[in-house]
Amino acid sequence: MQEKIKESSQEKKDSTKDLIIFSFLNEKKDSLVSLPVENEKINPKLATYAIINNKMTPIIYSATKPESEASNGRQTSFNFSNNGGDFFIIKEKINEGDFALLVNQKFIDDNKFLPFKKTEKETSHQTKTTLSNKYNRHITKSLTIAELNNQDEINLTLFEVKNDSALAVLSYLHNNQIITLDFPAKYDEMSTWRVDDGGIFDFENLQVLSIFQSGKSIKIATVFWGAEGYNLNFYESTAGVFKSIAEAYGYSAAQ
């Protein structure tokens, strides 16, 4: 009885805050399974929506299962049914997307979706100059990777290596304000930002999944691919920089 009271109290507490659970889809794109988050216990039944490619769709919690003995240890669609975690059914037809944020109604109420389109074009000279001056480094490559309906944009910039200091920066541009997310690393010709990346920052490996606004804060969900797996992050802007407020890792190395 005491345990039930504790669970009820925790459920009530969880329902009053924004819920964020990372997950990936199966091959048919009709189901989801959660990715593990260290040191965090979340009630999956509170998740009622999935955000896939910046679009919301209702979901239903179906079961929580341990990892199967037949699992190859990969968090991929091909090994979907063998994974351990919280499983959900997608109530609407989904045609594309590999990952999802599972959220509750409070998250939907608190965060406004910012529509965007993916692109790949040279960053404007003015923005490159601003970034170069901000970091006091020459730019090796810079691309606009997302354009928003409100004229905001997201750029990805790679700077020259200084000694053994490497740096890539994701920046969100709104009018004259730039919000930045730094990816500093020690240069290594084998592995710099990711294992076995050959010292190269591959722009295609860092993708924006969703963008939101809550008050004056911008929030973005990203996936960062590597040779052995992928990192999912949910960032929130604070004082001109993005800070990770939730993250998860999936192992996906080819066998």
Side-chain angles (χ1 to χ4, degrees):
M1 181 66 178
Q2 184 67 25
E3 188 63 30
K4 287 184 178 180
I5 292 174
K6 286 182 180 178
E7 288 179 5
S8 177
S9 176
Q10 183 62 42
E11 284 185 16
K12 186 175 181 180
K13 181 179 177 182
D14 289 343
S15 67
T16 62
K17 62 181 181 179
D18 289 354
L19 178 72
I20 301 170
I21 302 173
F22 291 105
S23 64
F24 64 96
L25 284 73
N26 62 351
E27 290 185 86
K28 293 182 179 180
K29 302 193 185 302
D30 59 7
S31 298
L32 297 150
V33 63
S34 64
L35 283 161
V37 178
E38 276 190 45
N39 304 320
E40 192 164 344
K41 188 175 182 181
I42 300 173
N43 183 354
K45 296 179 182 179
L46 296 177
T48 50
Y49 297 99
I51 299 171
I52 306 168
N53 286 347
N54 217 39
K55 296 179 181 177
M56 180 181 68
T57 182
I59 55 173
I60 299 175
Y61 167 76
S62 58
T64 298
K65 298 186 289 186
E67 185 176 16
S68 164
E69 291 184 1
S71 175
N72 60 18
R74 273 70 171 171
Q75 280 82 42
T76 65
S77 60
F78 305 108
N79 189 48
F80 182 87
S81 60
N82 294 319
N83 267 265
D86 303 315
F87 287 78
F88 301 81
I89 297 169
I90 302 173
K91 296 176 69 175
E92 299 176 345
K93 182 175 176 58
I94 299 296
N95 296 318
E96 58 181 3
D98 299 308
F99 304 104
L101 286 177
L102 308 186
V103 301
N104 56 357
Q105 183 62 51
K106 188 170 190 310
F107 181 97
I108 299 300
D109 294 339
D110 290 346
N111 297 277
K112 175 186 176 183
F113 285 78
L114 296 181
F116 70 97
K117 65 176 182 179
K118 295 181 180 180
T119 185
E120 188 178 330
K121 67 179 185 181
E122 187 76 14
T123 302
S124 71
H125 176 73
Q126 180 181 354
T127 300
K128 286 196 291 185
T129 299
T130 300
L131 288 167
S132 182
N133 291 339
K134 176 180 174 65
Y135 290 93
N136 192 28
R137 287 198 188 200
H138 292 300
I139 290 173
T140 301
K141 180 180 179 182
S142 186
L143 296 176
T144 300
I145 61 171
E147 294 178 324
L148 287 75
N149 290 358
N150 61 3
Q151 307 304 310
D152 290 359
E153 63 182 38
I154 293 179
N155 297 285
L156 194 53
T157 304
L158 179 65
F159 293 88
E160 67 174 355
V161 175
K162 280 189 174 182
N163 298 322
D164 61 354
S165 171
L167 177 65
V169 174
L170 181 145
S171 56
Y172 182 96
L173 179 64
H174 173 67
N175 295 331
N176 294 321
Q177 180 190 13
I178 290 185
I179 305 167
T180 55
L181 172 63
D182 295 356
F183 293 92
K186 182 177 180 180
Y187 179 77
D188 184 294
E189 62 181 11
M190 291 295 294
S191 305
T192 300
W193 289 275
R194 308 286 292 176
V195 173
D196 295 333
D197 63 11
I200 297 171
F201 190 96
D202 190 336
F203 278 38
E204 292 185 359
N205 286 349
L206 182 59
Q207 302 160 13
V208 177
L209 302 175
S210 299
I211 309 175
F212 312 91
Q213 184 169 6
S214 178
K216 293 183 179 180
S217 178
I218 300 297
K219 301 177 182 178
I220 58 173
T222 65
V223 58
F224 193 4
W225 288 94
E228 294 191 353
Y230 54 86
N231 285 90
L232 292 164
N233 271 276
F234 190 70
Y235 297 100
E236 180 176 10
S237 68
T238 303
V241 298
F242 283 112
K243 295 185 177 179
S244 179
I245 58 175
E247 61 181 315
Y249 174 77
Y251 182 56
S252 61
Q255 289 180 295

